[in-house]
Amino acid sequence: MTDSVNVACLVPGFEQPVEQSQRTFRAVLAAMASPGTAGEVCGPASVGPLHSATLAVALTLLDRDTPVWLDAAADGAEVRDNLRFHCGCPLTQVPEAASFAIISNARSMLPLERFEVGDDLYPDRAATLIVQLESLSGGAELVLSGPGIENRRVLRAAGLPEDFAAQWELNHSLYPCGVDLILTAGASVAALPRSTRLEVV
């Protein structure tokens, strides 16, 4: 880390780093394998606007090799210092340069197409967006289908932008390219992989 960190802003990370990071990683894998199914993670306390699950996912997935972009709501000294200290991740001001993005105000999130979607040779270079929502049990009904879903599955996600369905349709059309979304709310986590189709009821 080349940037200085204000120690006064730091909060404790995982109490049991190995066990909790492994459990969070398994929860994220399960969410990606079963899109729209919410699970619980046991994370640290919240930091600034970031919920417990958001911070747990960040502590688990981010490291010195993953440039991270923060939306305006998350881009404060407390969040920056804790991510630098606990994860060692570089922070970028350029959405297209980020391997991960943390979006704490989903209603005003940038269009998905602003982030790296990969290419035909390297679709794995696409960004993963950690999108914090108001709830994963209330809000508009999103009907999901595709790999990992038998027939259809309903996800009730509160806090997405009004044009999210249109954005997701474009993102899905790029498959195998396109961004993946990890959705968080409170201590809950779910996922929308790029392979998932979506309809709004």
Side-chain angles (χ1 to χ4, degrees):
M1 295 178 294
T2 58
D3 297 296
S4 60
V5 170
N6 181 0
V7 177
C9 288
L10 299 181
V11 301
F14 288 133
E15 292 182 6
Q16 300 173 307
V18 174
E19 179 182 343
Q20 287 179 275
S21 62
Q22 288 178 343
R23 288 174 59 187
T24 302
F25 187 69
R26 288 194 295 268
V28 171
L29 286 182
M32 294 294 288
S34 186
T37 300
E40 298 289 310
V41 296
C42 182
S46 59
V47 170
L50 303 188
H51 297 175
S52 176
T54 307
L55 186 56
V57 172
L59 294 182
T60 301
L61 299 183
L62 307 184
D63 59 34
R64 68 179 67 182
D65 297 320
T66 57
V68 178
W69 180 85
L70 305 173
D71 73 351
D75 191 16
E78 186 176 12
V79 172
R80 292 196 303 268
D81 285 346
N82 276 278
L83 291 180
R84 289 190 183 112
F85 179 79
H86 290 294
C87 307
C89 55
L91 302 177
T92 178
Q93 297 296 315
V94 182
E96 296 86 352
S99 297
F100 286 87
I102 296 178
I103 298 163
S104 62
N105 183 4
R107 291 189 185 275
S108 61
M109 63 189 289
L110 290 179
L112 300 179
E113 62 188 23
R114 287 288 307 277
F115 299 93
E116 174 61 56
V117 298
D119 56 42
D120 291 338
L121 289 177
Y122 301 102
D124 57 313
R125 291 180 177 173
T128 298
L129 279 54
I130 304 170
V131 180
Q132 182 172 281
L133 300 178
E134 297 160 14
S135 171
L136 286 171
S137 59
E141 289 190 358
L142 306 179
V143 179
L144 312 181
S145 59
I149 301 172
E150 185 175 356
N151 298 320
R152 308 172 101 193
R153 179 174 295 137
V154 173
L155 171 67
R156 296 181 61 87
L160 288 168
E162 293 183 2
D163 65 342
F164 179 76
Q167 290 190 45
W168 190 257
E169 182 177 2
L170 174 60
N171 184 67
H172 175 69
S173 72
L174 301 175
Y175 187 81
C177 299
V179 300
D180 296 316
L181 269 59
I182 299 172
L183 308 175
T184 63
S188 299
V189 61
L192 282 176
R194 66 192 82 168
S195 59
T196 302
R197 293 183 293 275
L198 180 152
E199 303 172 54
V200 178
V201 177

